């Protein structure tokens, strides 16, 4: 016998004999979920939405605190320092959603969240307090760097070779970059640099 379980339900118990089969389906319990659009592509900042819902008739009404934090390693609920709230109206099986924006971070990380208190639905199913969920969220808050290297720069010679490099922790975009340069005995503004060269970068290059 093959059973197709509808979304939002769990197969609780099945009875089968030679003449008939019977299956009892039970709605899934409460769930805290995080939605992040394009979580595995890098951006300077990203928005996330927290939702709390159940497949049962209703959740226990009230205002629930959702704690959250971004990190590249697992984070316990007690260690999450930011929070927001979502509200469940009487008789509703879904809370109002809450949105947050994460920025100022760099790395292949995740957004972690937890419900600070227990959440129960009308079928007496629940998620325990401090249950942690997460979603991938890659961020890149660090700008590329431009550097110049000169071997033995503080010793005199008739000529010297300099190496100019563009680098980025996560990876550069594809493109052609014009680099202006000049030699001088005092600080020069970019507008005063009279020579130039170009650097080609491929997508994902780190330098």
């Amino acid at each position: 016998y093959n059973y197709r379980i509808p979304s939002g339900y769990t197969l609780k118990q099945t009875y089968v004999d030679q003449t008939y089969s019977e299956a009892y389906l039970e709605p899934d319990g409460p769930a805290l979920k995080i939605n992040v659009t394009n979580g595995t592509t890098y951006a300077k900042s990203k928005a996330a939405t927290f939702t709390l819902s159940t497949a049962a008739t209703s959740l226990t009404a009230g205002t629930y605190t959702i704690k959250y934090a971004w990190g590249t390693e697992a984070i316990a609920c007690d260690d999450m320092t930011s929070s927001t709230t979502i509200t469940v109206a009487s008789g509703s099986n879904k809370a109002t959603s809450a949105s947050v924006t994460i920025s100022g971070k760099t790395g292949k990380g995740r957004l972690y969240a937890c419900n600070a208190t227990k959440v129960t639905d009308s079928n007496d199913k629940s998620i325990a307090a401090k249950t942690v969920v997460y979603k991938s969220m890659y961020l890149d808050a660090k700008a590329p760097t431009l550097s110049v290297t000169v071997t033995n720069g503080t010793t005199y010679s008739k000529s010297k070779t300099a190496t100019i490099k563009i680098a980025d922790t996560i990876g550069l975009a594809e493109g052609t970059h014009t680099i202006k340069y000049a030699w001088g005995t005092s600080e020069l503004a970019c507008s005063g640099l009279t020579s130039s060269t170009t650097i080609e970068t491929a997508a994902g290059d780190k330098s």
Side-chain angles (χ1 to χ4, degrees):
Y1 295 90
N2 295 318
Y3 293 98
R4 190 171 189 176
I5 310 301
S7 175
Y9 288 82
T10 300
L11 182 62
K12 186 69 174 178
Q13 197 167 9
T14 304
Y15 303 92
V16 180
D17 67 16
Q18 293 180 346
T19 58
Y20 78 100
S21 65
E22 180 180 295
Y24 170 50
L25 302 180
E26 185 175 80
D28 290 341
L32 173 64
K33 296 182 180 180
I34 307 171
N35 181 61
V36 178
T37 302
N38 298 325
T40 56
T41 59
Y42 285 98
K44 290 177 66 177
S45 65
K46 282 189 178 173
T49 302
F50 302 123
T51 59
L52 185 63
S53 63
T54 181
T57 302
S58 63
L59 289 164
T60 300
T63 299
Y64 295 90
T65 297
I66 306 300
K67 299 176 68 179
Y68 63 93
W70 183 93
T72 54
E73 297 180 354
I75 303 172
C77 188
D78 287 338
D79 295 328
M80 298 180 192
T81 55
S82 299
S83 65
T84 186
T85 58
I86 52 181
T87 302
V88 178
S90 178
S92 176
N93 67 349
K94 187 175 182 179
T96 56
S97 60
S99 296
V100 298
T101 299
I102 309 298
S103 61
K105 309 289 185 179
T106 297
K108 191 180 288 188
R110 292 170 171 173
L111 180 63
Y112 293 86
C114 67
N115 45 295
T117 57
K118 181 179 178 181
V119 182
T120 306
D121 67 15
S122 54
N123 283 349
D124 204 30
K125 284 191 170 185
S126 63
I127 47 176
K130 301 181 181 181
T131 297
V132 176
V133 296
Y134 62 84
K135 200 78 172 180
S136 294
M137 180 184 275
Y138 295 4
L139 295 172
D140 182 9
K142 293 182 179 178
T145 59
L146 178 66
S147 62
V148 180
T149 302
V150 180
T151 303
N152 298 322
T154 57
T155 61
Y156 287 99
S157 64
K158 292 177 65 176
S159 64
K160 280 189 178 2
T161 299
T163 301
I164 302 171
K165 183 172 73 172
I166 301 175
D168 187 74
T169 304
I170 300 301
L172 297 159
E174 180 180 0
T176 300
H177 311 280
T178 299
I179 307 298
K180 298 177 69 177
Y181 64 94
W183 185 91
T185 56
S186 60
E187 186 173 332
L188 298 174
C190 185
S191 58
L193 307 184
T194 55
S195 300
S196 65
T197 187
T198 59
I199 296 177
E200 300 279 348
T201 57
D205 281 353
K206 293 190 174 181
S207 64

